[in-house]
Amino acid sequence: MPHAKWFIGGRLNVSENCLDRHLGTARENKAAIIFEGEPGDVRTITYKQLHFHVCRLAHVFENMGIQAGDRIAIYMPMVPEAVIAMLACARIGAVHTVVFGGFSPEALKDRINDCKARLVITADGGWRRGKIVELKAAVDKALENTPTVHSVLVLRRCGNPVQMKEGRDIWWHEAWEGAPNQHKAKAFDSEHPLFILYTSGSTGKPKGVLHTSAGYLLGCKMSAHYVFDIKDSDLYWCTADIGWITGHSYVVYGLMSNGATMLIYEGAPNHPQPDRFWRMVDRHGVTILYTAPTAIRAFMRWGDNYVLRHRLDSLRLLGSVGEPINPEAWMWYHTMIGKKRCPIVDTWWQTETGAIMITPLPGVTPLKPGSGTQPFFGVVPKVVDDQGKEVPRGSGGKLIITKPWPSMLRTLWGDDERYKKQYWSEFAGVYFTGDGARQDKDGYFWIVGRIDDVLNVSGHRIGTAEVESALVSHSSVAEAAAVGRPDELKGQALVCFVTLKAGIEASDKLKEELRSHVAHEIGALARPDYIRFASGLPKTRSGKIMRRILKEIATGGEIKGDTSTLEDFSVVASLQSDEE
Ligand code: PRX
């Protein structure tokens, strides 16, 4: 540690392990993907057909001169071609970096430049709440300043008009015209990079989490097999977008390597009505549903009537991921959706862990609502105090993982120092998750949430530092601090304290402008829920913003703990007195 390697000297091709291995077996003509677009269009793609698609795209990449190790950015709607693009990268050993379609052009540009991508794959647009999200236009904007990108491959999805730049942009359907549907996969080293996925950290810009091949594939294949109890007769639906790690591990790699049949949905859960998910469960006969607590809480709020008009009798297993699930939401999921018949697997893991780490095994582990229960095979987590000493059962502490595991991240792209510092320096020789947790008397793990400067808003990881730097990039802002406050629906809401430059007048209009500014810089998912103007921010004498105090103010609670290091208490008093 911290540079563990697995299956040294072994060679494999990850796409072959997801596709070719099923050819010539009974799975060959089985559906790999059942796709439903937001407008209601449905397509079924068998493993054999998926293999053809991936082979053809692999030829397209090779004809473009893409080589093993080159980076390819994928900025697409949730359509089968996004999966095809990922697998085609894996086939030729190119490293994909999928950027969630909700990120702004600015965020896309930063990610492309950080990993020096040569090719960008996108679509004209994607459907979301009945509207077209214009992805190609966003790419055009991002590419104004990305010297490494030579080509852009554009899928026609929505038919909206786009500008094609001569010599750079190619339509997907034109590029793969005539490409052979067979492609001999080369084997790559077990530690060959498979993908980079950017995620928020507590400082600076998003970090490029690097995953490699054999260990990663093992981690997600084995966990998908045991945690989702996948059978050939199942129709599995993970509602995550491929822009997140959940989409990588439990839509693409973990499920395809198991030969599972997957449902993929393009659009919003409440379009055209808040019963869209339940309509789809019945329409296709979904047996396993894996979704996030935020979605569950939204469904609860929309009302039981939208659920009760559907049978949901095909479901046999439910999953939860991304944030702690409150017992109330757990019970609702269990009774309203699972009809008390389906176990719930509450799976704790991270972009960095690659695969599920703490989870029940369905039908095996007795469940407790709100607990991820027990570590998965080979995972050795502990809850420790600030000195790294294990705390007694029932006490809270920091969650660490004491042994390397196959699907762990290998480094942060281009910044190994940050990798070592971020994960391996809090306690020598062990991985620090950034989460707080406790173990109960039965040894069950209860995750409290992030204890670093990372927020979890609607299951999306947002670094406070990123939001703050977006705010101060606005010409009116002198200083900003972002903190989380508990939110019934989103888990955490994003509260920002802002001091304005001299002479700038505070107004509601400016608040709105700042919220839009952050959305523009990062993406709508980071749009602050609340902005509060302040005449000053609470700081230590050395000038560090005391976020702990702001968190307490944002929550409306009392200021607890030590305030003796505060430079000027009157700042806090004035913040408290003009609460919203
Ligand atoms: O705080 C934990 C929370 O989500 C964080 C990881 O976020 P990300 O890398 O975006 O990956 C999300 C999907 C795996 C963790 O540090 N988290 C994830 N799953 C759970 C959870 N918190 C509580 N219970 C979970 N099941």
Side-chain angles (χ1 to χ4, degrees), residues 40-52:
D41 48 321
V42 170
R43 268 161 77 194
T44 300
I45 303 174
T46 65
Y47 271 96
K48 193 182 211 167
Q49 292 168 331
L50 191 64
H51 178 255
F52 286 164

Side-chain angles (χ1 to χ4, degrees), residues 88-364:
C89 289
R91 194 153 191 101
I92 64 160
V95 182
H96 58 70
T97 186
V98 183
V99 180
F100 173 58
F103 277 116
S104 66
E106 191 65 26
L108 175 63
K109 178 199 80 186
D110 288 346
R111 285 157 174 78
I112 288 172
N113 285 338
D114 188 75
C115 71
K116 302 192 171 53
R118 291 190 58 189
L119 166 68
V120 178
I121 307 178
T122 190
D124 48 2
W127 291 104
R128 188 89 192 162
R129 285 203 185 86
K131 295 204 181 78
I132 295 171
V133 179
E134 301 209 4
L135 295 167
K136 174 62 167 65
V139 168
D140 290 340
K141 201 135 187 260
L143 295 198
E144 282 167 10
N145 220 334
T146 51
T148 57
V149 176
H150 292 205
S151 326
V152 181
L153 194 60
V154 189
L155 177 78
R156 185 175 280 153
R157 162 69 188 143
C158 298
N160 51 309
V162 296
Q163 303 253 329
M164 296 294 277
K165 187 167 169 189
E166 186 77 31
R168 185 193 73 181
D169 303 350
I170 317 160
W171 284 108
W172 177 304
H173 58 270
E174 284 172 13
W176 85 342
E177 190 84 33
N181 60 13
Q182 294 297 327
H183 176 274
K184 191 155 171 28
K186 261 200 254 141
F188 296 99
D189 190 85
S190 57
E191 286 293 335
H192 186 77
L194 181 63
F195 65 85
I196 302 166
L197 187 58
Y198 286 88
T199 187
S200 294
S202 44
T203 52
K205 290 263 177 214
K207 42 198 190 183
V209 167
L210 179 73
H211 282 288
T212 58
S213 300
Y216 170 77
L217 188 64
L218 170 71
C220 35
K221 176 167 196 263
M222 185 174 68
S223 52
H225 176 79
Y226 287 103
V227 178
F228 299 122
D229 182 35
I230 291 286
K231 308 264 194 285
D232 273 325
S233 51
D234 279 312
L235 177 57
Y236 163 96
W237 184 16
C238 167
T239 65
D241 189 277
I242 43 135
W244 312 113
I245 191 69
T246 309
H248 284 59
S249 302
Y250 299 109
V251 175
V252 185
Y253 295 111
L255 276 294
M256 302 252 158
S257 56
N258 276 299
T261 301
M262 235 131 358
L263 181 66
I264 289 182
Y265 172 53
E266 176 186 33
N270 55 352
H271 188 83
Q273 292 276 316
D275 68 342
R276 182 63 184 261
F277 273 25
W278 320 124
R279 189 172 291 281
M280 286 178 62
V281 166
D282 278 6
R283 181 179 192 192
H284 301 287
V286 173
T287 58
I288 304 171
L289 176 69
Y290 190 35
T291 193
T294 290
I296 298 165
R297 289 190 295 262
F299 289 123
M300 283 170 76
R301 201 169 70 164
W302 291 330
D304 296 354
N305 280 343
Y306 288 110
V307 182
L308 292 171
R309 33 172 112 134
H310 303 282
R311 298 178 60 85
L312 307 183
D313 53 356
S314 55
L315 288 172
R316 68 175 187 93
L317 177 61
L318 303 174
S320 171
V321 60
E323 37 177 335
I325 179 164
N326 47 313
E328 197 195 350
W330 196 101
M331 289 310 294
W332 186 87
Y333 198 27
H334 184 59
T335 45
M336 277 314 274
I337 307 304
K339 313 292 180 199
K340 300 196 176 155
R341 184 183 67 232
C342 309
I344 297 179
V345 287
D346 177 359
T347 60
W348 177 87
W349 58 295
Q350 307 179 298
T351 304
E352 292 86 342
T353 69
I356 292 169
M357 302 293 275
I358 298 178
T359 178
L361 296 182
V364 176

Side-chain angles (χ1 to χ4, degrees), residues 392-467:
R393 296 259 164 109
S395 313
K398 295 178 169 172
L399 183 67
I400 59 167
I401 298 164
T402 59
K403 263 183 68 181
W405 63 100
S407 63
M408 65 186 252
L409 79 167
R410 298 303 195 258
T411 189
L412 294 178
W413 184 258
D415 200 349
D416 198 52
E417 278 315 303
R418 188 172 174 198
Y419 166 69
K420 289 190 245 173
K421 188 157 173 279
Q422 182 90 43
Y423 304 106
W424 303 92
S425 69
E426 184 94 7
F427 307 107
V430 296
Y431 173 86
F432 175 48
T433 61
D435 275 358
R438 80 186 153 80
Q439 249 184 306
D440 68 15
K441 61 179 183 352
D442 300 322
Y444 277 39
F445 284 84
W446 297 77
I447 309 296
V448 180
R450 304 294 306 197
I451 47 176
D452 52 7
D453 290 323
V454 173
L455 306 180
N456 193 330
V457 178
S458 298
H460 296 147
R461 245 166 99 160
I462 298 174
T464 51
E466 282 167 69
V467 177

